[in-house]
Amino acid sequence: KRIRRTAENIAPSAGATADVEITTGYPITYNDPQLTERTLPTLQRVAGADNVRLVNAVLGAEDFSFFQKEVPGVFFWLGTRPKEQTPAQAPSNHSPLFYIDESGLALGVRALSHATVDYLSGE
């Protein structure tokens, strides 16, 4: 009730309205097997095969799962922890101690760009 009341009362101060819909649960984030198989060689080429791991399902909630309900998709993690930290040492992205090494973002742009071009060219 409080979230709804807050949003609906703040919105008019900016000349807007707010409709609050609170839903429970997220659908599973499910990578389409054929699309994953098709995308994996691109990711390995761009990031280096030693830097790409296909992992078992993880039961985390992601907003991306709502897109995957509409169209097949591939969700992947991009490593952005500081180089001097191991995965076990690095705070998670939900921690107030989280720190992102932005040098990893360029790889993410390259990976998505190459995956798009390869997909559209039929590779």
Side-chain angles (χ1 to χ4, degrees):
K1 289 179 185 180
R2 186 172 179 199
I3 291 171
R4 181 173 282 107
R5 184 179 68 238
T6 301
E8 290 174 351
N9 288 321
I10 289 175
S13 71
T17 60
D19 293 317
V20 176
E21 179 182 333
I22 299 173
T23 59
T24 57
Y26 276 68
I28 188 170
T29 303
Y30 175 76
N31 284 350
D32 179 78
Q34 287 91 8
L35 192 55
T36 300
E37 185 176 322
R38 189 171 172 185
T39 306
L40 191 57
T42 299
L43 297 177
Q44 291 171 329
R45 185 181 78 245
V46 172
D50 291 343
N51 296 315
V52 177
R53 281 181 272 144
L54 196 57
V55 298
N56 291 325
V58 176
L59 297 176
E62 291 292 339
D63 293 344
F64 190 71
S65 63
F66 289 102
F67 293 108
Q68 289 177 312
K69 283 180 61 175
E70 303 299 322
V71 295
V74 173
F75 180 89
F76 64 91
W77 286 301
L78 179 64
T80 56
R81 65 176 161 76
K83 291 173 181 65
E84 67 276 0
Q85 291 181 336
T86 66
Q89 294 170 321
S92 77
N93 60 331
H94 297 286
S95 164
L97 302 176
F98 175 70
Y99 178 80
I100 187 170
D101 179 351
E102 293 180 354
S103 67
L105 298 179
L107 175 59
V109 172
R110 283 196 316 273
L112 290 172
S113 299
H114 282 261
T116 301
V117 170
D118 288 355
Y119 179 83
L120 293 174
S121 66
E123 292 184 29

